Amino acid sequence: MAYNFLPCDRNQAYLLPPSLRDWLPEGHLAWFVLDALDQIDLTAFLGKYRTDGVGRGAFHPAMMAALLIYAYCMGERSSRRIERLCQTDVAYKVITANQSPDHCTISRFRKDNESHIKAMFLEILRLCAEAGLVKLGLVALDGTKIKANASLAANRTEKHLEQEIEKRVSEAVSKDAEEDQAFGPDKRGDELPEDLQHRASRLQRLQACKERLEHQKIQARQAQQDKIDRRQAYEQATGKCPRGRKPKSPDEAENKEAKANVTDPDSRIMKTRKGFVQGLNGQAVVTAEQIIVAEAVTQQENDQQQLHPMLEQTESNRQAVGIQEKTGVATADAGYASEDNLTKTPAGDVELLIATQKDYKQRKAIQGVPLPEGPIPEGLSATEAMERKLLTERGRTLYKLRGQTVEPVFGQIKAVRGMDRFVRRGLEACRSEWSLICATHNLLKLWRSGKACWN
């Protein structure tokens, strides 16, 4: 009796089909990414390469861009893991045409092309628009805290920074004296060992943190002095003492416990529902079809200052991509509410629908409250008028859609693809990475829709 097993000969000369086209099914995401990049002008990536053909050959930037985009689509951002996947994963082999760029090459390409990578967000948004996926009748704006590539424990006060800087400088001086005695004073200054070079780079970060805290101190003192001056001007003009507590002096108002992060000085301490994290604030404007039409990263924990800049970017992107439909209604939670925000006319003359209190309070306030009738009363402030609009049947219906529009997008990015932390450091680097994350989110939506214009 003989077994009827398929042959399993690992000494066979070639186990995969000879053609790359046969390695993956036709509808695989890898082929879709390559087809999508064929629709995008990538000549901007060629700017830093020599045109005379001299020197060692480089990996084609179109292939490197496709590799980054596919890896981010799959939730993979570590350059070392991407390098290993290029050697072991069939889909990555298809993307790279069976080449194996090392992690340094991948990391340098991502670093050297920040602006070009950021511009790809608009290109992929254009592909979504051409497929009919971008409908701007209703959009939702929200922010999410993304952890930085830094520890919350790496924050230092100005006093601590001064002590550490003195310690580092003292170490450097003693090390120089030790090496002068060992090697002679005629050696070049750039012949320091690796460990001292690392100390020098850390010293630069410490000094950058100290400068930021000093700048914040000056700003806080000036703001407090302006408050005192306004109070004094009011007293002189009216002869009355303003209501409220008398403002503290600039010295008393100064925050002596302010901290800066020595690992990533651009990151900030952010408050979330689960506590404090060291990170940045990622912003997104999302359509009802969960397509991101505008994105940004800010150091401000509060969303209040982001409303109008994000709506301006939405209008700018709409015109850049060539979308004819104008934005109709923009919804946002109470983090964006302020009298100034509600009074100012938004870009594109968008209708605003913004909660004036936290969502659970908003839902509680609406329950059991009858629909308002009759014309809008005169003399209402912008906040009071918004509260009344949210009580109407139309206001309740539209605002209810906010949670199912933008919240799932952040869930897909952070929970499904695991992108709840930046892998790069520095504000501009994180902005480029957030653009790539949002662009690949849109690309995945386009792939799953089956409506790509080249299909």
Side-chain angles (χ1 to χ4, degrees), residues 187-200:
K187 295 292 184 180
R188 296 194 314 272
D190 60 356
E191 294 178 338
L192 297 176
E194 183 66 25
D195 60 342
L196 190 55
Q197 291 177 13
H198 181 71
R199 290 193 189 101

Side-chain angles (χ1 to χ4, degrees), residues 89-104:
D89 190 284
V90 171
Y92 284 83
K93 284 179 173 291
V94 168
I95 292 286
T96 61
N98 216 11
Q99 302 175 90
S100 297
D102 60 53
H103 64 273
C104 291

